[in-house]
Amino acid sequence: MEINQNRTRSKWFFVPLKTMNINNNIEGLRSLSQIFSTANFNKIVRKKDYVNTFERIKKHTTFSNSITNLELLDNVYNELLESYRSEYVYKNTLINKKLLKKYSLKNTIVLNEFKIGNSIADFILLNGKARVFEIKTELDGLEKLEKQISDYYSFATDVYIVASSKHIEKLISLYNETKVGIIELTQKNSLKEIKPALSNIDLLDHSVIFKSLRKNEYINALKENSIQIPKVPNTLIFKECFNLANDIDIVDFQKSAIKVLKKRNLKNPDLLKDKRVPSYLKHICYSLNLSKPEYEELNSFLNKPSNLCISHI
């Protein structure tokens, strides 16, 4: 077994699945957590660029020659679940335990990092309803939460806060008498509903919903309400359509917006659910909306020996 030269400065542990050691100080874990990002896997799958991944692996781990990338990343992700639950861990848990477990990919989509008013929603589920999930990890503060929730209710009827155990008592004191739902990501990495969200249509806002849509989407939302699209120059189409949208009942307009947004669906939902895609990569694969050849490239990468990849760094 190889010995990492930083061993004298760091806490070490043994991961039983394969022979692998991970330097689990906070700097190492933060660096390793950045492997699990859409930007990094975009490089891996679409450019065969492994440098960012294996520079971090080389610096913060040691492993046996027989390990594959699939096993290596599984070990790293399991350590993050144990010791460094980043925002990606929360999003990936939501994908696995909400979207894939409870809903059909034919009728439900996820929007990530979606702008609503002056806030960016972490995770939105759209089917018959719009449900916003705001994530507060162990590493986050709650300072922006009140403004974020106010913005989210201008677009969605159901708003949840998904938080670590650290925040739960404070969140209950703040939101127990409101319609905001609270979900705890427990120490066992399950989602425990502390308080259900209650639907709230009172704060839906034409302007916020309209501005969340692309041009073809707001045009289709108007058509959904049997409104004829004005023949005006492109410089005026936004303003004219916005004025028309304001005349639609707000609940009907929000439903139309959900319907057109749901067309941002997956190319290959069956491949996302395929067992060859490890659960720890489901959110990344969803976000990248991989094609069939790209899933094959991902599978090829995961089955490569890690020592072969790291030898090129």
Side-chain angles (χ1 to χ4, degrees):
M1 181 187 305
E2 295 178 62
I3 302 297
N4 187 295
Q5 60 185 348
N6 292 326
R7 185 171 184 168
T8 56
R9 293 189 288 109
S10 306
K11 180 181 177 184
W12 289 84
F13 63 96
F14 179 70
V15 181
L17 181 62
K18 279 283 184 178
T19 304
M20 182 175 181
N21 292 312
I22 298 176
N23 181 351
N24 74 338
N25 64 20
I26 193 70
E27 177 193 355
L29 292 172
R30 184 184 297 118
S31 177
L32 291 171
S33 75
Q34 292 171 20
I35 291 172
F36 296 94
S37 71
T38 53
N40 188 46
F41 271 83
N42 184 57
K43 291 179 183 177
I44 289 172
V45 174
R46 292 172 174 155
K47 301 176 183 176
K48 297 185 181 182
D49 179 355
Y50 310 150
V51 173
N52 178 62
T53 300
F54 285 98
E55 281 184 346
R56 296 175 192 276
I57 294 292
K58 188 175 183 179
K59 184 174 181 180
H60 300 294
T61 78
T62 58
F63 53 86
S64 72
N65 287 337
S66 61
I67 200 168
T68 66
N69 291 335
L70 176 71
E71 294 162 328
L72 182 148
L73 293 175
D74 188 48
N75 282 328
V76 172
Y77 190 76
N78 280 332
E79 178 51 24
L80 295 179
L81 286 175
E82 183 74 21
S83 306
Y84 192 87
R85 300 194 303 183
S86 63
E87 188 172 288
Y88 177 75
V89 168
Y90 281 69
K91 289 180 175 177
N92 196 51
T93 303
L94 284 168
I95 282 279
N96 280 286
K97 297 190 175 182
K98 284 287 185 186
L99 178 65
L100 297 179
K101 191 173 181 180
K102 291 192 170 185
Y103 298 102
S104 165
L105 291 176
K106 292 180 180 177
N107 301 318
T108 305
I109 71 156
V110 167
L111 300 174
N112 288 295
E113 303 297 319
F114 187 73
K115 190 172 189 302
I116 300 177
N118 293 317
S119 299
I120 305 293
D122 292 319
F123 189 98
I124 301 177
L125 274 178
L126 294 179
N127 42 36
K129 284 186 172 183
R131 297 175 176 86
V132 173
F133 296 82
E134 174 60 28
I135 292 167
K136 294 300 177 190
T137 75
E138 293 90 331
L139 311 170
D140 295 328
L142 304 179
E143 299 80 13
K144 299 178 181 176
L145 196 50
E146 183 177 353
K147 178 66 171 66
Q148 289 172 318
I149 288 174
S150 176
D151 281 342
Y152 300 156
Y153 273 128
S154 62
F155 173 85
T157 54
D158 293 53
V159 176
Y160 286 90
I161 306 165
V162 185
S164 78
S165 307
K166 167 187 169 182
H167 296 305
I168 294 302
E169 186 175 341
K170 179 67 174 176
L171 291 172
I172 291 173
S173 71
L174 290 172
Y175 295 104
N176 197 41
E177 303 301 323
T178 73
K179 295 183 177 179
V180 176
I182 301 173
I183 297 173
E184 177 184 0
L185 182 64
T186 70
Q187 292 305 312
K188 293 182 179 179
N189 296 303
S190 61
L191 295 174
K192 178 182 177 184
E193 186 171 279
I194 304 297
K195 177 179 177 298
L198 301 177
S199 291
N200 182 5
I201 63 171
D202 296 340
L203 300 176
L204 293 176
D205 185 292
H206 283 94
S207 175
V208 172
I209 295 171
F210 187 89
K211 290 175 182 175
S212 72
L213 303 176
R214 299 166 181 161
K215 179 181 175 183
N216 67 309
E217 290 171 338
Y218 63 67
I219 286 174
N220 286 332
L222 292 180
K223 289 179 178 176
E224 286 289 330
N225 288 278
S226 303
I227 292 179
Q228 188 170 359
I229 306 306
K231 294 180 181 179
V232 296
N234 275 335
T235 52
L236 296 175
I237 191 72
F238 179 91
K239 181 180 178 182
E240 293 297 322
C241 288
F242 178 60
N243 290 336
L244 291 167
N246 274 312
D247 292 332
I248 304 172
D249 175 84
I250 186 60
V251 174
D252 291 338
F253 183 59
Q254 193 238 15
K255 287 180 179 176
S256 303
I258 291 172
K259 188 171 181 178
V260 298
L261 282 167
K262 283 174 62 179
K263 293 181 180 177
R264 298 185 190 182
N265 52 10
L266 284 178
K267 296 174 187 170
N268 294 291
D270 291 340
L271 293 179
L272 178 71
K273 292 189 290 186
D274 193 296
K275 291 181 179 178
R276 289 180 300 169
V277 178
S279 61
Y280 58 79
L281 292 182
K282 295 289 188 185
H283 185 270
I284 286 172
C285 291
Y286 190 101
S287 299
L288 289 174
N289 199 6
L290 300 178
S291 65
K292 185 176 179 180
E294 288 167 343
Y295 272 109
E296 290 171 357
E297 178 59 35
L298 174 64
N299 191 45
S300 171
F301 165 76
L302 292 174
N303 286 293
K304 281 185 169 67
S306 297
N307 62 340
L308 180 64
C309 294
I310 210 166
S311 66
H312 296 293
I313 303 303

